[in-house]
Amino acid sequence: ALLRFLNNLPQDLNVSLFHYRSHGADVARVLVAFQVPAKARPQLREYLEWLASKGFKWQEETSNDIYDRFLLEPVVDTHKPRKPPPITLY
């Protein structure tokens, strides 16, 4: 399943964070952060739809406080880091 996940990633996506966790069972968890150019957002949506059609479950964490604290660039001077809009299927 992990190989299928990776082989089908669109090429324009930059994987900036990847964590794979398996407990020795049929189920594993993957944490992935993508850097997606605005023009590639439709590709990402298609990829997420493909994942859902294959039985993969995904959850967006853009609105999570932990994302704000640890994954965004730090605030420099008075400029705040740009937070991307959420990507949703529906």
Side-chain angles (χ1 to χ4, degrees):
L2 178 60
L3 186 58
R4 201 171 32 156
F5 173 84
L6 294 172
N7 282 338
N8 286 287
L9 276 173
Q11 291 184 358
D12 287 346
L13 301 184
N14 180 32
V15 176
S16 59
L17 175 97
F18 187 86
H19 178 75
Y20 178 78
R21 184 177 188 178
S22 176
H23 296 285
D26 290 341
V27 178
R29 295 179 185 253
V30 178
L31 172 65
V32 181
F34 297 112
Q35 292 176 320
V36 183
K39 65 180 179 156
R41 287 177 76 91
Q43 272 186 296
L44 178 60
R45 284 197 180 106
E46 287 175 17
Y47 178 65
L48 294 173
E49 289 171 1
W50 177 84
L51 286 175
S53 75
K54 300 298 180 195
F56 289 96
K57 295 179 183 176
W58 64 273
Q59 180 175 335
E60 183 171 356
E61 296 292 347
T62 305
S63 299
N64 188 318
D65 286 339
I66 301 302
Y67 171 81
D68 287 345
R69 290 181 185 187
F70 297 105
L71 298 178
L72 283 180
E73 295 176 20
V75 175
V76 178
D77 298 324
T78 58
H79 296 91
K80 291 187 176 181
R82 286 185 6 156
K83 186 172 184 177
I87 294 177
T88 56
L89 289 176
Y90 309 103

